[in-house]
Amino acid sequence: MAETTPSAAQPAPPSGSDQPVAIVCVGMAGSGKTTFMQRINSYLHSKRTPPYVLNLDPAVRTVPFDSNIDIRDSVNYKEVMKQYNLGPNGGILTSLNLFATKIDQILGLLEKRCGPPTQEEKAAGKKGIQNILVDTPGQIEVFVWSASGDILLSSIASSFPTVIAYIIDTPRTASTSTFMSNMLYACSILYKTKLPMILVFNKTDVKDAEFAKEWMTDFEAFQAALRQEQETGSYGGAEGGEAGVSGLGGGSGYMGSLLNSMSLMLEEFYSHLSVVGVSSMTGQGVDEFFEAVQEKKAEFLRDYRPELERRQKEREKEKETRREKELDRLMKDMAVGGSKKRSGQKEEPETISDLEDEDEDDAGGEMLEPDDVDPDAEDTDDKISGLQDRYKTAMKGQGGPTEDDYSFARYVRSANVG
C-alpha cells in the first residue's frame, strides 16, 4: 500500500456530484467477477479516465489488472491459515479482519488520491479520478455477511457514493429455480448493505440475458416458463426422469408452488434494481453498465446518503451518551473512595449492635476541635470537579468518541491523579 505524497497542496474536498463513485463488485464463485473487473478497468483506461483499484481478495494468485491498494501486500493469506490453523474460508475471513484494522489508512489514501485535480494537474490536462473499483472474494458470504466486510463497505460509503454490482452467471441462471435463487441472494445483499445495486448478467456472449430481463418485468412470462418446466420436469436443468423421481413433474410439486409465490413477492424488489447484460469477453454492454452506475450514483446522493448520515449521527449520539454515563460513574466511584474516611463522617454500621454502640458514643462524645478536622476534606469536591473538567477537555481534543474513551483508569494514571 505504498503511496507517494503529492507535492501540491490538496484542494477543498469535492461536492457529492463531483466525487468519484465506488463500484463494489460482488458475485458467486465462477460468475466471472474478476474478468468483469478487468473489462471495466480496460474500458475506463481506453476513455482516458483510469480508475483507482482495490483488490480485497487475499487468496487470488494473480489478477489481470493493476491494483493501487492490494490486500495481499498487507496480509499473507497462507501464513494466516498456518498460524491460526484455518481452512480456506476461515483464512479469507481472518485476512479481511486483519485488513479492516487499516481502514483509516485506506480511507486516507482514497480521499487523498481521489480528490479533485490540483491547478498544476488541470494545466497539464489531467482529470481527477472518477471511478473506484473494488474487487471482493469469490466466497460472497465471507465478505457480505462478515463484520470486516460491513466495516469496509460502510467506511467507503461514508466517504464516496457507493454502488453494488452483483455479477450473475447468465448461462447458469437459465432455469426458473436458479434464477429465483440468484434473485433471493441479491435481495438479501441489497437489504444487508443498504446500498444501490445493479444486477450484471455476465457472459451474454454465451447466452443472451433478455430472458432474465423479461422474467423481471413480465410476471406472466415467468409463469409461462415455470409451467413449461413443470410439464417437462426440468427444474434446475434436471432431466425428466430425475424430476419424476423427486416428485417435481406434472406441476404439482413443492418447488412449483414456492417459485410461484416468490415471483409475486419479488415483484416490488425488482423495481429498485437496474439490470444490464454484459459480456466480459467481448465488452458488449459495458457502456450500458456505466450509464446505470451514474443513475445509481444520483440515487445514492438523493436517497441513501441522508439515511447514512442520520444513522451515523445516531451512533455518535449513543457513544456520547455512554461516555457521559461512564464519566459520571467514575466520578461517583472516586468520590466514594476518596471521602469515605472524612473526619466527622462515620462508616455504615454492619450490624444492629454496632449501631447501638455508635449511638452511645454519640451521646457521651465531645465536639471536634478545628485542628482535628481533615484539611483535605474541604478540597475533595473541588479536586473531583477539576478532574472532570480536565477529562472532558482531553476528550474534546480527540476529535470524537472512540473505544479508548471508556478506559478511565488509563486517563487517571496518565494525569497522575491518585
Side-chain angles (χ1 to χ4, degrees):
M1 265 175 25
E3 291 282 345
T4 57
T5 304
S7 56
Q10 291 296 320
S15 60
S17 58
D18 297 331
Q19 283 184 306
V21 57
I23 304 172
V24 182
C25 297
V26 299
M28 296 184 183
S31 61
K33 177 169 50 60
T34 301
T35 309
F36 174 76
M37 276 279 299
Q38 188 273 338
R39 172 57 63 182
I40 60 177
N41 180 49
S42 175
Y43 173 87
L44 292 174
H45 276 278
S46 68
K47 297 293 184 180
R48 299 187 182 277
T49 56
Y52 200 86
V53 182
L54 282 74
N55 174 41
L56 299 182
D57 190 351
V60 65
R61 289 188 175 182
T62 58
V63 289
F65 50 83
D66 294 329
S67 302
N68 298 94
I69 297 178
D70 197 326
I71 187 176
R72 297 176 298 171
D73 296 335
S74 302
V75 182
N76 190 321
Y77 168 69
K78 291 185 178 180
E79 290 299 323
V80 168
M81 291 178 60
K82 292 179 181 178
Q83 183 176 351
Y84 296 98
N85 194 24
L86 299 171
N89 289 343
I92 294 175
L93 180 59
T94 305
S95 298
L96 282 173
N97 291 339
L98 295 173
F99 190 69
T101 61
K102 302 178 182 291
I103 188 61
D104 55 337
Q105 301 177 32
I106 298 169
L107 290 180
L109 291 174
L110 287 174
E111 292 172 356
K112 181 170 61 176
R113 295 300 178 187
C114 299
T118 61
Q119 296 296 333
E120 296 178 356
E121 292 174 339
K122 287 183 179 179
K126 294 182 179 180
K127 298 181 180 179
I129 293 176
Q130 301 177 13
N131 296 275
I132 302 172
L133 306 183
V134 183
D135 193 15
T136 60
Q139 287 74 3
I140 186 173
E141 66 281 355
V142 171
F143 180 79
V144 175
W145 297 100
S146 66
S148 55
D150 183 58
I151 291 171
L152 292 167
L153 270 180
S154 59
S155 299
I156 295 174
S158 65
S159 301
F160 303 96
T162 306
V163 176
I164 301 293
Y166 181 58
I167 316 301
I168 300 174
D169 189 344
T170 306
R172 296 181 180 273
T173 316
S175 68
T176 55
S177 58
T178 54
F179 171 81
M180 192 57 61
S181 298
N182 265 299
M183 294 302 103
L184 289 175
Y185 217 129
C187 181
S188 66
I189 294 173
L190 176 67
Y191 290 107
K192 174 65 172 64
T193 60
K194 295 182 176 63
L195 293 171
M197 176 182 288
I198 302 174
L199 293 185
V200 180
F201 284 90
N202 196 15
K203 306 181 183 180
T204 55
D205 55 309
V206 179
K207 184 173 181 59
D208 192 14
E210 288 302 319
F211 75 94
K213 296 180 180 179
E214 185 181 13
W215 287 354
M216 295 179 68
T217 56
D218 189 350
F219 173 75
E220 293 182 356
F222 181 81
Q223 292 296 312
L226 180 59
R227 284 194 299 270
Q228 182 179 0
E229 289 188 1
Q230 288 176 331
E231 292 172 358
T232 59
S234 57
Y235 286 99
E239 299 295 335
E242 297 177 3
V245 174
S246 59
L248 296 177
S252 59
Y254 164 77
M255 183 66 78
S257 176
L258 176 64
L259 295 178
N260 188 30
S261 301
M262 289 297 179
S263 61
L264 288 172
M265 181 194 72
L266 294 179
E267 191 173 5
E268 178 65 21
F269 164 71
Y270 296 149
S271 62
H272 298 284
L273 299 176
S274 295
V275 184
V276 295
V278 174
S279 171
S280 298
M281 186 64 63
T282 65
Q284 179 185 1
V286 176
D287 287 321
E288 183 183 357
F289 169 75
F290 278 101
E291 291 176 2
V293 167
Q294 293 303 316
E295 294 177 0
K296 289 302 178 181
K297 176 183 178 181
E299 181 181 337
F300 176 91
L301 296 174
R302 183 183 66 249
D303 301 330
Y304 287 82
R305 173 160 285 181
E307 177 65 17
L308 290 174
E309 293 175 350
R310 184 189 65 81
R311 295 204 307 265
Q312 185 177 4
K313 289 179 180 179
E314 289 181 354
R315 288 194 297 268
E316 291 177 354
K317 186 176 181 181
E318 291 176 359
K319 287 183 179 180
E320 184 68 24
T321 302
R322 289 198 302 268
R323 190 178 68 175
E324 290 294 334
K325 289 181 179 179
E326 294 292 338
L327 179 59
D328 292 340
R329 186 180 304 172
L330 171 69
M331 295 308 157
K332 289 179 181 179
D333 293 343
M334 293 183 64
V336 172
S339 60
K340 184 184 295 184
K341 286 291 193 175
R342 292 182 189 177
S343 300
Q345 182 177 355
K346 301 181 178 64
E347 296 182 359
E348 293 294 331
E350 297 182 357
T351 63
I352 296 178
S353 59
D354 293 339
L355 180 60
E356 293 175 351
D357 294 339
E358 288 183 3
D359 292 338
E360 294 176 358
D361 293 340
D362 290 341
E366 297 179 355
M367 294 184 61
L368 290 172
E369 294 294 332
D371 296 338
D372 297 332
V373 179
D374 185 0
D376 295 333
E378 299 176 358
D379 299 334
T380 303
D381 293 336
D382 294 338
K383 289 182 179 181
I384 295 174
S385 177
L387 173 62
Q388 187 171 5
D389 294 339
R390 290 167 60 190
Y391 182 80
K392 288 183 176 179
T393 302
M395 289 299 102
K396 289 180 180 178
Q398 293 182 359
T402 63
E403 293 300 326
D404 292 337
D405 295 351
Y406 309 121
S407 181
F408 296 102
R410 184 181 306 164
Y411 173 77
V412 171
R413 289 196 299 270
S414 64
N416 294 323
V417 178

